[in-house]
Amino acid sequence: EDATVDEQIAEYEANSLQKRREGMTVSNVDLRLAMNDEGVYGAVEGAMAKSTNTTELEIHWNFSSTVNRLDSWVLEITGALGMDDDKVDQLFSKAAGEV
């Protein structure tokens, strides 16, 4: 069956959003400042402590010079903070100086 126009539009938009997220890379400092502005910076340590992968998360958090929106450790931390995709997108946009 051919996809409907609405399905094609939805697929195009999903692919566009995925490509946009793939390109969202910011400095660790800018991300931390954006998180501080949003009031979630202080909760990161607690979110990492809940993980079974705490040491690896801490290494990334403390030593990565750049951070990509789709890095697995970012997804784990932001998920533990209860942030949905839209909120994480906004955070990275803010860190990139787009907002």
Side-chain angles (χ1 to χ4, degrees):
E1 285 182 39
D2 290 333
T4 67
V5 172
D6 288 341
E7 290 170 334
Q8 290 174 344
I9 291 170
E11 182 178 349
Y12 173 80
E13 289 174 349
N15 288 336
S16 294
L17 182 58
Q18 180 66 17
K19 289 288 184 196
R20 181 173 180 268
R21 287 177 176 158
E22 288 171 2
M24 291 178 136
T25 299
V26 298
S27 75
N28 196 333
V29 171
D30 288 337
L31 179 61
R32 288 171 182 244
L33 290 170
M35 292 179 97
N36 186 56
D37 285 348
E38 294 298 312
V40 296
Y41 180 79
V44 171
E45 301 285 330
M48 286 192 295
K50 296 176 186 174
S51 173
T52 58
N53 206 15
T54 302
T55 301
E56 185 175 327
L57 291 176
E58 287 175 349
I59 291 169
H60 284 294
W61 176 246
N62 290 315
F63 300 106
S64 294
S65 57
T66 59
V67 182
N68 184 272
R69 160 70 175 85
L70 297 178
D71 286 344
S72 60
W73 68 273
V74 171
L75 299 176
E76 186 171 347
I77 290 173
T78 56
L81 292 171
M83 298 176 75
D84 64 19
D85 283 332
D86 289 337
K87 184 68 176 170
V88 179
D89 289 345
Q90 291 171 4
L91 183 67
F92 271 77
S93 291
K94 185 172 195 161
E98 298 172 3
V99 178

